[in-house]
Amino acid sequence: KPPAAYAKPAAQRIRQEAIDCWIYDLRDERDPGMPPYDSPAERLVAAGPDAMDALIAALDDFTPTRAAGWEIGPSVTAILRRQDFALFCIERISACTFYRRTRGRGTHLYNDPQRQSAIANIRDWWKEAKGKSQAQRLRIQLRLRKENTTLNKEVHDEQEIWWRIAMLEGPESVIADMRSALAGQQDW
């Protein structure tokens, strides 16, 4: 069911009403890898942290979209859900990877056994990260990843986060942290 603000002309919607309408419009997205410019997904990403609460709520939304699954062959198709696009937007806004498929081809957030763990991680992260700078949000995700043993973790994800923090705060800001991380991991 569309949000009540859907009846208003787009120019008359306040920010949160526009975000709610864009969440609803995710049902019409067609391509999760490269949404067209000015698509609902791109508008949500442009809204940044203002859209996070609505996007996190949409992680429980199994509404089908017009999009078929990522990286799967023509013999195996999966209809992506609103929650798949919400995750895409969250990861673009946060610069964090919260979810990687665990069962290979044809697996997406809505049908992955790791789904609840990934969503819980996002919710825990946002409770703590809301209102913080991007670098602080990235550091929070690094800490939560270390604390949560059920997450599907990959070393290169951690390296990407450190790189992003260095880009935001300067390389000297991460040297001590990286030395500490390197001491415990030999595959870096």
Side-chain angles (χ1 to χ4, degrees):
K1 181 179 169 184
Y6 219 73
K8 287 184 180 180
Q12 293 178 5
R13 296 176 189 151
I14 63 170
R15 180 91 162 155
Q16 192 56 51
E17 290 173 335
I19 288 169
D20 292 343
C21 290
W22 298 332
I23 293 281
Y24 178 76
D25 286 341
L26 287 175
R27 69 198 165 106
D28 294 325
E29 287 287 1
R30 297 181 193 285
D31 184 359
M34 296 294 286
Y37 179 74
D38 206 32
S39 71
E42 287 301 312
R43 289 176 186 169
L44 287 161
V45 170
D50 290 347
M52 289 296 284
D53 289 325
L55 287 166
I56 290 170
L59 291 172
D60 292 319
D61 190 337
F62 286 85
T63 301
T65 67
R66 297 177 191 266
W70 299 294
E71 301 176 27
I72 56 178
S75 62
V76 180
T77 57
I79 302 299
L80 295 180
R81 314 299 176 163
R82 188 174 278 141
Q83 64 187 212
D84 293 304
F85 281 100
L87 174 68
F88 168 81
C89 294
I90 289 167
E91 289 185 338
R92 293 263 317 273
I93 292 167
S94 68
C96 293
T97 301
F98 290 103
Y99 169 76
R100 289 202 187 271
R101 288 182 282 177
T102 59
R103 294 187 319 197
R105 299 178 78 124
T107 304
H108 302 282
L109 182 63
Y110 76 89
N111 66 355
D112 194 316
Q114 292 287 331
R115 177 175 126 21
Q116 290 300 333
S117 177
I119 291 172
N121 177 23
I122 293 167
R123 286 189 172 123
D124 291 344
W125 167 80
W126 188 240
K127 279 181 202 169
E128 198 172 331
K130 189 174 186 173
K132 304 259 191 324
S133 72
Q134 185 176 14
Q136 290 170 318
R137 292 192 305 253
L138 291 166
R139 288 181 186 279
I140 290 166
Q141 178 58 3
L142 280 171
R143 185 182 43 75
L144 290 174
R145 289 170 60 84
K146 287 179 182 157
E147 294 171 1
N148 189 336
T149 58
T150 63
L151 291 177
N152 179 12
K153 303 174 194 174
E154 296 188 25
V155 171
H156 74 273
D157 291 340
E158 216 171 290
Q159 291 171 338
E160 288 175 21
I161 294 172
W162 283 118
W163 178 81
R164 288 181 178 119
I165 293 170
M167 294 299 290
L168 291 165
E169 295 181 336
E172 62 283 346
S173 69
V174 300
I175 290 174
D177 295 318
M178 290 195 71
R179 281 191 180 128
S180 174
L182 287 169
Q185 296 180 1
Q186 296 191 5
D187 41 338
W188 269 44

